[in-house]
Amino acid sequence: MVSSKNRTRLQILLVISVLGLLFLSGATAYYTFFRGEDLKDIVESQWSKQVTISARRGNILDADGEVIAQSASTQGVLVRPKTVNNAIKNGRTDLDTLTGNLAVILEMDESVIRARVTDETRTEVYLKRHISDSEARKIESLAYPGIAVFIETKRYYPFNDSLSQIIGYTNVDGEGQTGIEKQFDRYLSGQNGKRTVQTDANGNAIEGTEMLITDAVDGNDVIMTVSSAVQSFTQVAAKDCMEGTDADEVVAMVMDPATCDILSAVILPSMDLNNIVRDDPALLNELSRNKAFQQTYDVGQAYGIFLAAAGLDSGEVGTGDTFVCNGYDVIEGELVKCWRDPDKHGEEGLFEVLRDNCGMGYVKIADKVGKEKFYDHLKRFGFGSTTGIDGVAETGGTVTDPKYVTGIELSRLANGIGIKATPLQMCTSFCALINGGRLMKPRIIKEIRSSSGETVRAYDSEYLGKAVSEETSEKMRTILKKNAREGNASLAQPEGYDIGGYTGVSVTGDGVCRWFLGFAPAEDPKIAVLFLINSEDPDIDYSGSAAAYYSAALIEKTLRYMKTEQTGAGENFIEVPDIAGLTFAEAEQRLENAGFRIGYRFRSRLLGQFPAAGTKLRRGSTVYAVTADSETTDRYGLVPDITGKKLFEAIKEMKRNNIYIRVEGEVGEGVISTQYPEAGTPVEKGMIITVTCN
C-alpha cells in the first residue's frame, strides 16, 4: 500500500509531467504555426543563398534607332575567402603563389589581393571587374578554389566622345552619374530579379538547385532627336575648327528650325566615354560639363539680328532707314565707340549695319526702339531665362535688370553687352527669328520606350509664344540671305546651296567669343546651325568669319544627307588670291579685282589672310586681312592746344590722336575758348577733352 508521503510525491511528479507535456506541446505548436517560416528561413540561409538577377540597362538611341549607349557583357573576378582559406589550410593552394599569379594577370598590387582573399568576414568580394577575355581565360586556367570568373555588364558607347557631355556616363555598377544616364536613370535601370541556390559547406553553389523568386525587368530605352549622321558631320567640323584656330572651346549645334529638335550638339574639348579618367576628379568634372546647355557666354554683336528684328517688328525701324556712324559718340557723359573707331562706317542702311556689325548703328536702332520695346522683344525671344528643355539640365541666360538701364546702359545692351546666353538659348531664339516667329521649346529627348517597343512617355514639341510676326521673320531671312552672299557670313556659303547667316563677336576680359548663326536652304529652312568659338586670345582680326568658315562643310554635308535639292547650283565659286607681302592698298585692290570684298580691323601692315589662298569661295565673298594692331603704333603723345581753333577742325584733329571732344554749353560761333585737360597732358587711349566755345 502506497504511503501518503509517496502518494504526494507521485502526484507532484504527475503534475510536473503534465505541465512539461503541455509546455512541449505549446512550444511545438508555437514554433510550428507561428515561427515555422522564420525557422525555415534561418535553416535555408545556412545551406542556400540569394542571388541577384541583373536587369539589362536600357539603350540610348538616336532618332533613327542607331545605338548611342548600350550595355554589353563583360567579365569580372569574384573571391570567396572561406573557400580560398580552406584550400590553403588543406594544402591545395599556396597563398603566396596564388596572390603572385593573380597580381601579374590582373595588374594589381599583391598586397590588395592578399587582403581580400584572406578576409573571412565577407562571404564574397570583387577582386577586379570588367576584365578582358584574355585575363578571364588565364584566371580560369589556374582553377584556384574560391576564385571565380563571373559575367556582368558594362556600359559601352559606340561613338566614343560624341555627345559625351550630354549622354553622360555610369559608374562600374551601371548607375547613371551625369547627363542623360543620370537624368533618366530610373527609366534606364529597370528592376533586378532574385533567385535562390543551395550551397555546400564552403558556400559554393550546387548546380541544378536554382529556384526563381522574381524575374528581372529590363530597363527602358531613351530615344533622342539627334541624328548620328548629322552629329558626325558636326563633330568633324568642330574638330577641324579646334585644330585650325586658337580655340579653347568650340560648341556647334544643328536644329530643325520648325520644331527646335536638336539634330546634333558638339562640345569640345570632350572625352571618350569608354575610357573615362576617373582618377582626376577636377578634369573629369570639367570635361563632363555640358557647356552647350549650362554655360552662358556674352552675346555681343550676335545680338544685332535680334535687335534689328525688334526694330522691324515694333514698327520703329524700316528696311529703308539709314543710320550714321562717326566711329564714336558721347552718351550721358560716357564715350561709346564702334569697333571701327578711329575710322567710321558713315551712313549705312539696316543691312549694312548688320553686315558691318556697326556698333553705333546698333545704338541708334536701340534708341529708336526704346527701352520698353527692347525688353519686350528680349523676353519674346526667350533671353534671360531657360528654354524649358526636358530631360537635360540647363542654365538660364542673364540680362541687365531694366530698372538699372539708362541711355548709356541701353547703348551697351544694343551691342549685346550685358546679355548672356547659352548656345542652346541662342540657337532656339535664332530658330524663332527665321521660322515665322514661333518660339518653340527645344527638344533632345523624343520618347521613352519599353524593351517590348511600347511608348512609356512621349516628349512632344511645344509652342511657347510669338517672338515676331511672320512678316518680320521673312524680312530677316531676306537680309540674312544677302548677308551670306556678300556680308559677314559669306564664308559659310557652301557650293550649290543658298543659305542665310550672320556672324558676331563678343570681347570681354576673359577673351573672345566668335558666333555664327545660319540656316539653309534660304527659301525653305530645314536646318539652323550655331557655331561658337571661344578663345582667351584677344586677336579678333577675322571676327566671326572663322565660325562661319567651318560651318560651310557642315551645312553642305547635312543638306546632301537630307537629299535637299540644290538651289545655288551653277554659282560662280572662285579661288581666293594670295595677298602675302602686299601693302594693305595692294591687297585690297587684288581682292577686288578677283571679285572679293576685303574685311579688316585696321588698315595697317598685313600679317596674313583668312581663309588661305586657294580656298574656293563664292564671288563677292569677304576675305579677311589679318593686320597689325594699329593701336600699338607710336601715335600718342601730349594733348595739343586747341583753344582758338574751330570746333569741327579740332574734332577731326583730335580723332586722329584717339582723343574725343565733349562740348559744354552752347556752341555759339564754334570757336574753342577753353579745354580740359590742358595742353601738354599725356594722351590716354580713348580720352575725352571737355571744351567750351565762344
Side-chain angles (χ1 to χ4, degrees):
M1 190 171 180
V2 180
S3 67
S4 174
K5 187 177 182 179
N6 288 335
R7 184 181 296 112
T8 300
R9 289 177 179 172
L10 288 173
Q11 287 174 343
I12 292 172
L13 182 61
L14 179 62
V15 170
I16 293 173
S17 299
V18 170
L19 290 175
L21 288 172
L22 289 173
F23 174 78
L24 291 173
S25 298
T28 302
Y30 171 75
Y31 284 107
T32 300
F33 298 108
F34 297 100
R35 294 290 309 280
E37 289 301 317
D38 292 340
L39 293 172
K40 181 181 177 183
D41 290 342
I42 293 172
V43 172
E44 286 185 351
S45 68
Q46 295 176 347
W47 51 264
S48 67
K49 65 179 179 179
Q50 196 172 91
V51 179
T52 298
I53 305 172
S54 298
R56 181 191 67 83
R57 187 173 179 82
N59 295 330
I60 300 176
L61 309 170
D62 79 349
D64 300 316
E66 190 82 25
V67 175
I68 297 175
Q70 65 183 148
S71 293
S73 294
T74 184
Q75 300 174 90
V77 181
L78 190 70
V79 175
R80 297 188 181 92
K82 185 176 179 181
T83 304
V84 172
N85 288 299
N86 284 339
I88 293 171
K89 291 173 184 177
N90 296 332
R92 296 167 57 199
T93 303
D94 178 70
L95 179 60
D96 292 335
T97 303
L98 179 145
T99 56
N101 288 338
L102 293 178
V104 172
I105 296 172
L106 300 176
E107 297 181 352
M108 291 178 64
D109 189 311
E110 188 172 345
S111 63
V112 173
I113 297 174
R114 182 181 293 269
R116 292 182 185 178
V117 300
T118 57
D119 183 7
E120 292 195 44
T121 62
R122 305 182 64 178
T123 304
E124 292 180 339
V125 61
Y126 291 123
L127 191 57
K128 188 175 182 179
R129 306 181 68 177
H130 303 157
I131 65 174
S132 67
D133 290 341
S134 173
E135 289 172 328
R137 286 193 296 270
K138 291 176 182 177
I139 295 294
E140 289 176 331
S141 68
L142 295 174
Y144 286 128
I147 305 294
V149 173
F150 67 98
I151 303 296
E152 61 175 340
T153 58
K154 178 183 179 181
R155 206 62 168 161
Y156 175 63
Y157 304 90
F159 295 99
N160 301 316
D161 64 337
S162 183
L163 291 165
S164 62
Q165 299 92 337
I166 296 172
I167 295 297
Y169 55 86
T170 64
N171 60 19
V172 292
D173 292 317
E175 299 166 339
Q177 300 296 290
T178 62
I180 290 174
E181 292 280 24
K182 180 180 180 179
Q183 296 287 342
F184 290 87
D185 189 63
R186 67 188 182 97
Y187 288 107
L188 289 163
S189 58
Q191 296 179 353
N192 291 335
K194 296 178 182 177
R195 61 182 172 85
T196 59
V197 60
Q198 294 182 15
T199 59
D200 60 20
N202 292 323
N204 297 313
I206 301 174
E207 292 187 14
T209 62
E210 296 180 358
M211 183 171 65
L212 181 68
I213 299 177
T214 56
D215 205 353
V217 178
D218 289 341
N220 300 296
D221 294 337
V222 174
I223 316 301
M224 300 180 70
T225 59
V226 169
S227 163
S228 292
V230 179
Q231 178 70 20
S232 69
F233 304 150
T234 311
Q235 190 94 353
V236 169
K239 287 184 175 179
D240 286 347
C241 176
M242 196 80 170
E243 294 172 1
T245 68
D246 56 359
D248 296 308
E249 299 171 354
V250 173
V251 178
M253 298 177 67
V254 178
M255 275 189 181
D256 178 339
T259 62
C260 280
D261 279 1
I262 298 171
L263 306 181
S264 68
V266 173
I267 305 114
L268 298 179
S270 58
M271 63 178 172
D272 184 352
L273 292 174
N274 296 308
N275 293 287
I276 297 173
V277 185
R278 300 182 190 270
D279 57 356
D280 189 339
L283 177 61
L284 179 59
N285 182 62
E286 177 64 20
L287 294 177
S288 298
R289 283 192 65 201
N290 180 358
K291 294 182 179 180
F293 297 0
Q294 298 166 7
Q295 176 69 49
T296 59
Y297 298 88
D298 291 281
V299 173
Q301 294 170 343
Y303 187 70
I305 50 175
F306 302 103
L307 174 62
L312 292 171
D313 202 60
S314 65
E316 302 296 338
V317 174
T319 54
D321 289 359
T322 57
F323 309 89
V324 177
C325 169
N326 290 315
Y328 77 98
D329 199 355
V330 178
I331 300 175
E332 295 180 349
E334 292 193 40
L335 178 66
V336 179
K337 297 170 61 176
C338 177
W339 68 268
R340 179 63 87 185
D341 182 76
D343 291 333
K344 62 182 179 180
H345 287 114
E347 185 176 79
E348 294 194 316
L350 181 61
F351 165 72
E352 287 74 25
V353 168
L354 292 173
R355 179 196 67 191
D356 296 334
N357 275 312
C358 176
M360 297 315 304
Y362 292 152
V363 170
K364 296 181 189 305
I365 293 173
D367 187 54
K368 281 192 169 189
V369 172
K371 185 172 82 170
E372 184 177 343
K373 292 178 181 178
F374 184 97
Y375 269 86
D376 177 51
H377 280 82
L378 267 174
K379 184 177 180 180
R380 286 197 206 176
F381 277 115
F383 288 100
S385 62
T386 59
T387 66
I389 190 170
D390 289 316
V392 184
E394 67 166 326
T395 299
T398 57
V399 177
T400 302
D401 192 312
K403 68 183 179 183
Y404 300 119
V405 173
T406 59
I408 182 62
E409 190 60 37
L410 186 62
S411 71
R412 295 191 182 103
L413 287 167
N415 283 275
I417 301 169
I419 304 174
K420 285 177 172 284
T422 63
L424 173 68
Q425 174 68 73
M426 283 292 283
C427 201
T428 301
S429 300
F430 182 67
C431 286
L433 181 76
I434 55 102
N435 71 2
R438 292 166 52 84
L439 182 65
M440 304 293 292
K441 181 164 78 172
R443 191 172 66 143
I444 196 167
I445 304 299
K446 198 172 184 179
E447 66 174 311
I448 309 296
R449 190 183 298 162
S450 70
S451 57
S452 59
E454 298 175 350
T455 299
V456 175
R457 180 178 177 182
Y459 295 85
D460 298 323
S461 298
E462 186 176 338
Y463 170 70
L464 299 178
K466 200 72 173 172
V468 291
S469 68
E470 290 188 19
E471 181 183 2
T472 299
S473 180
E474 184 177 359
K475 288 178 180 178
M476 289 305 302
R477 287 199 303 271
T478 300
I479 290 173
L480 293 174
K481 178 181 177 181
K482 185 178 182 181
N483 192 51
R485 280 181 167 268
E486 55 188 77
N488 59 45
S490 60
L491 297 189
Q493 182 70 61
E495 193 166 358
Y497 296 97
D498 278 320
I499 71 165
Y502 180 74
T503 66
V505 171
S506 66
V507 183
T508 67
D510 298 327
V512 180
C513 289
R514 303 180 179 102
W515 296 90
F516 168 76
L517 293 162
F519 62 92
E523 300 304 325
D524 183 21
K526 302 296 183 191
I527 58 172
V529 176
L530 174 143
F531 220 94
L532 169 65
I533 305 172
N534 188 34
S535 173
E536 294 181 2
D537 186 346
D539 178 11
I540 57 171
D541 268 312
Y542 37 90
S543 186
S545 60
Y549 176 75
Y550 288 101
S551 298
L554 165 60
I555 293 171
E556 181 178 2
K557 289 177 182 178
T558 301
L559 292 179
R560 289 183 183 279
Y561 171 75
M562 291 179 167
K563 296 181 170 55
T564 305
E565 182 180 356
Q566 291 191 346
T567 55
E571 293 286 350
N572 191 1
F573 274 69
I574 54 178
E575 288 190 359
V576 173
D578 189 354
I579 58 174
L582 303 181
T583 65
F584 186 91
E586 291 170 340
E588 185 174 26
Q589 189 63 54
R590 178 172 291 185
L591 288 172
E592 287 180 359
N593 291 342
F596 297 104
R597 295 178 69 249
I598 188 170
Y600 61 94
R601 178 77 196 275
F602 299 108
R603 300 180 70 92
S604 56
R605 180 169 53 88
L606 288 180
L607 300 178
Q609 69 183 85
F610 186 85
T615 304
K616 278 195 170 185
L617 297 178
R618 174 183 267 164
R619 185 183 293 276
S621 297
T622 301
V623 176
Y624 289 83
V626 182
T627 59
D629 186 344
S630 62
E631 293 182 0
T632 62
T633 60
D634 185 18
R635 57 189 181 89
Y636 302 132
L638 303 178
V639 174
D641 185 358
I642 55 175
T643 56
K645 292 188 176 182
K646 290 185 177 181
L647 179 62
F648 179 71
E649 293 176 352
I651 288 175
K652 288 200 299 182
E653 180 182 345
M654 292 301 97
K655 192 172 181 182
R656 285 194 295 270
N657 291 282
N658 208 34
I659 302 173
Y660 303 89
I661 291 179
R662 178 172 61 199
V663 180
E664 279 190 353
E666 298 294 329
V667 174
E669 296 180 1
V671 178
I672 297 173
S673 57
T674 65
Q675 71 178 73
Y676 181 82
E678 298 176 350
T681 303
V683 172
E684 296 179 3
K685 175 183 173 182
M687 74 183 302
I688 298 175
I689 294 180
T690 302
V691 302
T692 59
C693 297
N694 294 328

